[in-house]
Amino acid sequence: MNERELLYVKTIADTQSISEASKKLFVAQPSLSQALQKIEDRLGTPLFIRYPNGVKLTLAGEKYYRAATAILKIYDELCNEITEINNLKKGKITIGITNYLAVYLLPKILPKFHEKWPNIEIYIHEDNSYNIEDLLMKGSLDFGIMHYESDDDNRSLKYEALCEDMFVLVTKCNHPMAKYAEKVEGLPYPVIDLHLFENENFVLLERDKRIRQICDSIFDELNFKPKIGLLLRNYETARRLASVGFGVTCIPFGYINISKGEYEADYYFIKGNIKPAWKTCVVINPKNYLSKAARVFIDLVKEYYKTNQLTT
């Protein structure tokens, strides 16, 4: 039993597919199948039940999987501890980050980090906030950069806010309702009553997306029932459609600058006593070891947000 064999079995179990595991491991599928067969022959028992559409762990496989996960975690922690001894000359970081934060943040942070510590390997896992939290609980990530609402966070994890974001209404430029908007000192965009748009079609995200859930909470808070004209999975598609007059939408304030210069639109803060809709944060699992390399990366992220405030 060696690290490679443990990783093979764990990856096959995680993906429930030898073909998918081979892609993740960058190993030819026949070679991975042969390696698995050798492990099972040596153990004298199958670890997986083979089905036409995938595999499932046997009882022996479940025990092997739990042991492999624990051993690989210990190995990774040992490597991270050695990294500290080597003063960041070698090592790796596994970061979970939401797709759109990755688009905005990584080009600003990664080059600086790589310039100072070129031998630290960085693995990026782009996913939604819920899956990032789940992977942190499992110990598969060093830390996450994501959004959360303070009243629904996972208390087993530690969240450190980087900035707060209000949500803004997005319309085409010079929308007929723009004449009702009010300028407020200190705000970059005017404030408008959401109820003025009760007859407009709203372009919103699907209900499983956190942006949509926060939009719904804002609508509920203001007792507003949007007329939904289209459901999507990508906030930027919704923003662009609103910019050309295909309805209106709501997005986080901090997302405005991600695609600055393309499909210009008008933005409005929503009138009413609405709390900041979500927070951008660094999240860690206090039970897991956090390497010096990970802490240095987190410090760079914090410094960026401190000097480039995206709050309202």
Side-chain angles (χ1 to χ4, degrees):
M1 185 185 299
N2 55 45
E3 181 195 9
R4 184 182 63 180
E5 292 177 342
L6 294 171
L7 185 60
Y8 282 1
V9 173
K10 183 179 183 302
T11 306
I12 294 170
D14 287 339
T15 60
Q16 297 184 337
S17 166
I18 293 177
S19 62
E20 287 301 314
S22 69
K23 295 175 185 177
K24 283 197 167 189
L25 294 165
F26 301 101
V27 175
Q29 184 173 338
S31 298
L32 183 59
S33 296
Q34 291 173 11
L36 176 59
Q37 189 62 56
K38 288 180 181 178
I39 296 170
E40 291 178 324
D41 289 345
R42 188 170 66 248
L43 293 172
T45 185
L47 299 178
F48 294 92
I49 302 172
R50 275 75 165 174
Y51 295 104
N53 60 343
V55 297
K56 183 179 179 181
L57 286 166
T58 62
L59 179 59
E62 290 175 357
K63 291 183 179 294
Y64 191 105
Y65 175 81
R66 286 195 294 269
T69 301
I71 292 168
L72 287 170
K73 183 178 178 181
I74 292 170
Y75 180 80
D76 281 343
E77 290 179 353
L78 175 61
C79 289
N80 286 327
E81 288 172 356
I82 292 173
T83 296
E84 291 202 38
I85 295 172
N86 289 336
N87 196 26
L88 300 179
K89 293 180 179 179
K90 291 183 180 180
K92 69 176 183 179
I93 308 172
T94 304
I95 305 168
I97 187 168
T98 58
N99 299 89
Y100 302 116
L101 277 175
V103 170
Y104 178 80
L105 190 61
L106 293 183
K108 303 176 187 301
I109 302 296
L110 281 179
K112 292 181 179 179
F113 185 88
H114 183 71
E115 182 180 354
K116 291 184 177 181
W117 300 283
N119 294 321
I120 302 295
E121 298 178 50
I122 298 178
Y123 298 89
I124 302 296
H125 180 85
E126 295 181 67
D127 213 326
N128 62 51
S129 296
Y130 300 110
N131 288 339
I132 290 172
E133 288 173 329
D134 185 54
L135 290 170
L136 282 166
M137 293 297 295
K138 294 177 179 177
S140 300
L141 301 173
D142 290 308
F143 63 91
I145 305 174
M146 49 171 269
H147 301 293
Y148 81 112
E149 293 179 89
S150 58
D151 56 356
D152 75 347
D153 57 354
N154 185 327
R155 296 299 174 182
S156 298
L157 301 174
K158 181 181 177 182
Y159 301 78
E160 185 169 354
L162 300 167
C163 73
E164 294 182 333
D165 251 349
M166 298 290 286
F167 272 39
V168 295
L169 184 73
V170 187
T171 75
K172 67 179 181 180
C173 294
N174 302 312
H175 190 281
M177 295 299 169
K179 60 186 177 183
Y180 298 108
E182 305 168 17
K183 290 186 178 181
V184 177
E185 186 176 353
L187 292 182
Y189 299 110
V191 174
I192 202 164
D193 187 344
L194 189 63
H195 292 86
L196 293 170
F197 297 86
E198 62 183 0
N199 293 320
E200 287 274 356
N201 284 325
F202 274 71
V203 181
L204 298 175
L205 302 194
E206 299 281 358
R207 290 188 182 275
D208 65 325
K209 306 292 283 186
R210 184 163 286 190
I211 286 180
R212 170 62 186 280
Q213 292 161 12
I214 293 176
C215 286
D216 285 346
S217 69
I218 292 172
F219 298 151
D220 290 343
E221 193 172 345
L222 296 175
N223 194 27
F224 176 76
K225 294 185 178 180
K227 180 183 172 185
I228 301 176
L230 186 64
L231 293 176
L232 299 167
R233 298 198 63 80
N234 186 301
Y235 94 93
E236 177 61 12
T237 306
R239 189 196 71 83
R240 292 188 181 198
L241 286 171
S243 77
V244 296
F246 193 84
V248 299
T249 193
C250 293
I251 67 169
F253 170 77
Y255 279 18
I256 293 173
N257 291 322
I258 292 180
S259 300
K260 195 79 171 176
E262 294 189 46
Y263 291 87
E264 292 293 344
D266 282 345
Y267 303 97
Y268 304 91
F269 290 109
I270 299 169
K271 192 173 185 178
N273 187 24
I274 303 172
K275 64 183 179 180
W278 71 9
K279 297 178 182 180
T280 302
C281 68
V282 171
V283 56
I284 64 170
N285 186 338
K287 295 180 180 179
N288 294 339
Y289 173 78
L290 192 65
S291 69
K292 182 178 179 180
R295 295 198 301 270
V296 167
F297 195 101
I298 290 172
D299 286 342
L300 280 178
V301 173
K302 289 179 182 177
E303 182 62 26
Y304 174 79
Y305 274 92
K306 184 178 179 180
T307 56
N308 298 272
Q309 287 295 321
L310 300 179
T311 63
T312 58

